Structures are given as structure tokens and as C-alpha cells.
Amino acid sequence: MLEVKNVTKAFGGVVANSDVSFSFEKGQIVGLIGPNGAGKSTMFNMISSIFPPSSGQILFNGTRIDGLSTYKIAPLGISRTFQNLQVFKNMTVLENVMVGHHIQTKSGIVAAALRFATVKREEKIMYEEAMKHLAFVGLESLVDVKAGNLSLGKLRLLELARALATNPKLLLLDEIAAGLNHVETKEMSQLIQKVRDLGISVFVVEHDMDLVMTICDKVIVLDQGKKIAEGTPKEIQNNEQVITAYLGADDEAVG
Ligand code: ADP
Ligand code: MG
């Protein structure tokens, strides 16, 4: 379903991704891990067409998507969450999910809010869809609460509901469990598996190795922009190069 072929991304002199190739099949949960600065978010940004690769190709169900306009990505069936929360604090939980259709773009959250104001007519369908996804993540009792009053754990669930609101075939989760406690992380793991059981493929960037090793069918490891390993969680845990990359990382925050 997703094929990344020889993708390189340079920002000036910084090579964030260097000749990275991998692919994955429908129905899988795939993990993307590596020390901070390894290029994980950059890869997600290219798959969601925030910016194009410097070279290489990205195919989704056989169609090239690298370099597509951002607004064409969600209709194809790719949705994502962001490493930094993108929540409208003064909107309710429900409203935040209802803007989900409009937030998957480069123009960002302000433009999304403006567009949201113009789509009142479509509101009924959006309402029903939003409620469905909020129930799925377990936030149905909080739909009228202002997002600014939610705990971090609930905010992450809100982001997940919003990403699901575009009915993706492929969901990219960039550090969705960051900052969550042990119990919340466990619940998030179960929820991600529930998403996969709906037939949605999930690509996760995550710090929490327990989560990654428990739920992923396959793990891809980046280090300094290069893919250094790919395999089952078990293979990755025993891979010398991976162990060295993590031990060599100069801070404890790896993901
Ligand atoms: P990760 O998500 O694995 O921590 P990133 O993909 O965010 O890593 O970053 C990889 C490298 O690319 C870093 O050196 C980072 O500073 C650089 N980088 C990422 N995005 C940009 C950008 N938009 N402009 C310039 N440099 C960037
Ligand atoms: Mg990142």
C-alpha cells in the first residue's frame, strides 16, 4: 500500500532523509523509530505531502503521491496526527473533530478554522461522523468540553479522533503517546490495534519501545537520516546496529 523508494530530503546542508526505501502492506501496524533528529517526522511530512522529497518517489496504492498538493492527500486516504498538538483550545471537543476534514493541510490550523466557518451546511453529516469517532476513542462524554480543559491524555485521544474523521486508509501517528502515563500508553496501544482491526493501516513514530515492540508487525529504524534496519520487533531488538545507534544517542530521549 505504501512504497517509499530512494527518498532523500535535504534542508540546506542538513540531510534529514538519505536514500530511504521501504514498503508496507495493507492492514499492518508499522513502527518508525530512531534517535532524535533521525528524520522520522521528515518522512511523515513527505508522506503527507507537507513538502516533497528532494529526490526519490513515494507511492500509495501504486500511485505517486510525492509532490502532490497537501489538500489532495486526505481524499486519497492518508491522515495524520502531529508531534506537536494542533488543537483549538477555545473550541469544544466536538468542534475540534469536525474541523478534522480541514486540518490535514499545510495551511495549518488558522486556515482550517476559517474554512470550518464556511461549511455549516455540511454540518449534520460532519456531526454524525465526529460523534462516531469520538465514541470510538472513548471521548463521547466530553464532547461539549472546551479542548483547553482536557488533560494531555484526552487531547491525544482527540487528535486521534480528528485524524480518523477523514476516514483514512493509512494513518500516520507522530509520537501520539508522548507524555502519556503508563496506563494511558497501554490504552493508546489497544486503541491503535483497534484502528488496525478496522482495516486501517497505521504507521507509528513512537518513543515508547514497549508500545512499538508490542503492537508493530514491522519496525523500520532510521539513524541520521539513513535506514539502518527493518524487521520484526524481535529482529530489531537483537540488531547490533540498532543497539549501537541507541546507545550512541547523546540524550535519553529516543523514539
Ligand atoms: P525526528 O522526527 O526523527 O526527531 P526530524 O525529521 O524532525 O527528526 O528532523 C531530522 C533533521 O532534519 C533534523 O536535523 C532537523 O533539524 C531537520 N529538519 C526537520 N525539518 C526541517 C525543516 N522544516 N527545515 C529545516 N530542517 C529541518
Ligand atoms: Mg519527530
Side-chain angles (χ1 to χ4, degrees):
M1 116 175 295
L2 182 70
E3 225 183 326
V4 170
K5 288 185 180 172
N6 307 105
V7 164
T8 292
K9 180 70 184 180
F11 297 105
V14 177
V15 182
N17 282 143
S18 178
D19 198 26
V20 177
S21 297
F22 60 85
S23 63
F24 74 85
E25 304 303 320
K26 190 173 181 294
Q28 290 188 327
I29 300 175
V30 177
L32 182 62
I33 66 170
N36 274 334
K40 305 179 297 293
S41 293
T42 299
M43 178 55 68
F44 271 20
N45 286 338
M46 290 187 288
I47 296 167
S48 55
S49 254
I50 302 287
F51 45 64
S54 305
S55 62
Q57 299 187 354
I58 301 172
L59 290 93
F60 182 60
N61 290 324
T63 306
R64 271 187 78 170
I65 57 165
D66 51 281
L68 270 191
S69 301
T70 316
Y71 69 88
K72 290 190 175 152
I73 289 293
L76 280 179
I78 301 177
S79 181
R80 68 172 296 176
T81 63
F82 290 86
Q83 186 170 347
N84 301 315
L85 285 164
Q86 301 224 354
V87 166
F88 303 101
K89 293 209 162 99
N90 292 320
M91 283 187 177
T92 66
V93 166
L94 176 63
E95 287 165 347
N96 265 281
V97 175
M98 288 173 71
V99 301
H101 290 273
H102 307 282
I103 202 167
Q104 303 284 332
T105 67
K106 188 185 188 176
S107 42
I109 70 172
V110 175
L114 293 174
R115 274 197 303 274
F116 175 62
T118 71
V119 293
K120 293 281 176 191
R121 267 170 282 122
E122 295 164 32
E123 217 168 274
K124 188 163 180 297
I125 302 164
M126 285 168 68
Y127 169 81
E128 282 161 6
E129 279 285 300
M131 290 300 283
K132 184 178 90 183
H133 293 110
L134 283 165
F136 181 81
V137 303
L139 288 180
E140 67 270 51
S141 63
L142 298 174
V143 291
D144 294 324
V145 173
K146 287 261 194 309
N149 294 329
L150 295 183
S151 66
L152 177 67
K154 303 283 190 233
L155 284 169
R156 297 279 183 200
L157 293 172
L158 174 54
E159 285 228 313
L160 178 59
R162 190 170 53 196
L164 290 169
T166 59
N167 291 315
K169 298 187 184 90
L170 172 65
L171 181 61
L172 312 177
L173 303 177
D174 197 349
E175 300 199 16
I176 191 135
L180 300 190
N181 66 35
H182 185 66
V183 173
E184 291 168 332
T185 302
K186 261 239 144 66
E187 286 167 359
M188 186 59 80
S189 295
Q190 286 162 357
L191 205 44
I192 294 170
Q193 292 175 88
K194 237 173 87 183
V195 170
R196 188 262 323 270
D197 293 343
L198 292 175
I200 300 170
S201 308
V202 193
F203 201 8
V204 293
V205 164
E206 202 41 74
H207 286 284
D208 191 297
M209 285 304 124
D210 244 13
L211 180 149
V212 169
M213 297 305 170
T214 307
I215 70 173
C216 290
D217 298 296
K218 174 161 101 171
V219 179
I220 295 159
V221 189
L222 293 181
D223 185 31
Q224 298 179 31
K226 295 194 176 73
K227 185 177 94 172
I228 59 166
E230 174 174 348
T232 62
K234 203 170 181 162
E235 287 164 353
I236 293 303
Q237 277 168 312
N238 296 316
N239 182 299
E240 286 298 331
Q241 230 184 325
V242 175
I243 294 164
T244 307
Y246 274 89
L247 291 177
D250 55 10
D251 65 13
E252 78 290 353
V254 289

